[in-house]
Amino acid sequence: MIDFREITKSSKLYNFHSHTQFCDGRASMEQFVTAAIEQGFTHYGFTPHSPVPIASPCNMKAEDVPAYIDEFRRLKNLYGNRISLYLSMEIDYLGPQWGASNNYFASLPLDYRLSSVHFIPSITDSNEMVDVDGNFLSFRKKMGTYFCNDIEAVVRSFYAQSLAMIEAGGFDVVGHFDKIGHNAGHFRMGIEQEPWYVQLVERTFEAIMDHHLIIEINTKALRDHCRTFPNEHFYHLLRRYHAPLLINSDAHYPELINAGREETMSLLATALQPK
């Protein structure tokens, strides 16, 4: 496994969560590499949304994985003396049948594994997995179609999936572990401060620590939505547990690979000060 602690001690300019032409990113891998070098990054990891055994326009196709690996090797040979590059995936957890612990991912030459929850089972049809990670307009439609507008059930399902993902293991970094809070907060203002919601976050955080995983501080939504994942409200948990962290931009555009980093580092510096 990569020594993330050493990397974060020696460098502020790293990113281990990004998406390119192999999934829903908006530029080629090479464009991301050259942008990272131009901005002085020392370490950069690629994490296309993993193949999944269900229809998804955001996830890479299994048949494209060899081309992804070949392109990574080409770029590492070409630019490896200027930046440290890493091969990875953002592996979706769909339940016992699919996740980072699946033998398929063990067969790939990944340098590390980042795992996230984007899909939860529909209330109206438990055999159907629904992506709850998109924009709020899409989420609001899905709430009526798949979840009977029961936002508490959706949130509980998301965190149940997260806990099951953590228990199943097979990965190193937890991606945006409270991402559901963004859409849920738009659907019902203040939901992230409700005691039952806070308890779910704390339980998930404790599970992450118990399994010695790394928590991603995801800066993707900071510019447009003034929040990170996890929400700044929960930074006190980072201090309480001395949690190992990575600050990642979840970049889909080369110009955003450093988005929100300085602001987040400032927020963390304040939150992590001893009380």
Side-chain angles (χ1 to χ4, degrees):
M1 177 182 165
I2 299 169
D3 190 345
F4 288 113
R5 286 181 184 269
E6 189 58 37
I7 289 171
T8 56
K9 283 180 184 177
S10 62
S11 175
K12 293 181 179 179
L13 287 176
Y14 63 82
N15 187 51
F16 288 96
H17 189 166
S18 65
H19 301 280
T20 66
Q21 81 272 25
F22 283 100
C23 56
D24 60 347
R26 304 305 187 199
S28 70
M29 290 173 68
E30 187 160 14
Q31 287 173 296
F32 279 89
V33 172
T34 56
I37 291 172
E38 288 169 2
Q39 295 184 48
F41 276 66
T42 57
H43 299 78
Y44 200 84
F46 294 103
T47 54
H49 291 288
S50 72
V52 289
I54 59 175
S56 170
C58 295
N59 290 73
M60 74 184 305
K61 297 181 180 354
E63 56 264 33
D64 291 336
V65 172
Y68 163 57
I69 295 172
D70 287 345
E71 177 63 358
F72 172 81
R73 288 171 173 162
R74 183 184 78 83
L75 295 173
K76 190 168 184 177
N77 285 334
L78 188 60
Y79 296 103
N81 63 336
R82 302 170 66 186
I83 189 171
S84 295
L85 298 175
Y86 303 89
L87 182 76
S88 184
M89 287 184 181
E90 182 176 14
I91 302 172
D92 269 294
Y93 182 80
L94 301 180
Q97 74 280 11
W98 193 259
S101 61
N102 188 286
N103 288 335
Y104 171 74
F105 297 106
S107 72
L108 301 176
L110 303 179
D111 294 312
Y112 66 97
R113 293 168 177 80
L114 185 149
S115 195
S116 306
V117 171
H118 299 96
F119 299 86
I120 64 172
S122 164
I123 288 177
T124 56
D125 179 0
S126 61
N127 292 318
E128 184 169 12
M129 299 298 292
V130 181
D131 184 355
V132 293
D133 190 65
N135 65 63
F136 179 65
L137 290 178
S138 172
F139 179 81
R140 185 167 61 186
K141 291 178 182 177
K142 291 174 182 176
M143 282 296 299
T145 304
Y146 300 103
F147 302 111
C148 306
N149 286 316
D150 188 342
I151 190 61
E152 184 168 337
V154 167
V155 169
R156 290 188 182 279
S157 179
F158 176 89
Y159 284 110
Q161 284 284 93
S162 300
L163 288 170
M165 175 186 78
I166 293 164
E167 188 64 33
F171 62 97
D172 310 295
V173 183
V174 181
H176 49 61
F177 84 85
D178 69 339
K179 186 91 181 279
I180 192 63
H182 178 63
N183 279 330
H186 282 295
F187 194 85
R188 188 163 94 199
M189 190 174 297
I191 195 171
E192 291 179 276
Q193 283 76 53
E194 295 177 16
W196 66 273
Y197 185 100
V198 173
Q199 288 175 5
L200 289 175
V201 170
E202 291 179 344
R203 189 181 311 155
T204 305
F205 197 99
E206 289 169 0
I208 293 170
M209 293 295 94
D210 288 344
H211 286 77
H212 308 290
L213 299 171
I214 297 167
I215 290 179
E216 169 188 80
I217 308 296
N218 187 304
T219 67
K220 179 182 178 181
L222 189 59
R223 184 183 68 170
D224 294 334
H225 301 288
C226 301
R227 67 166 297 155
T228 61
F229 305 107
N231 194 312
E232 186 185 350
H233 299 312
F234 302 117
Y235 282 8
H236 67 280
L237 296 173
L238 305 175
R239 184 180 67 249
R240 182 192 301 173
Y241 290 96
H242 304 285
L245 308 175
L246 287 175
I247 301 173
N248 291 328
S249 65
D250 196 351
H252 289 63
Y253 298 84
E255 61 268 26
L256 296 179
I257 59 175
N258 203 29
R261 177 176 301 276
E262 290 299 324
E263 300 95 318
T264 299
M265 290 181 70
S266 178
L267 291 171
L268 283 168
T270 299
L272 299 181
Q273 285 180 353
K275 299 298 183 182

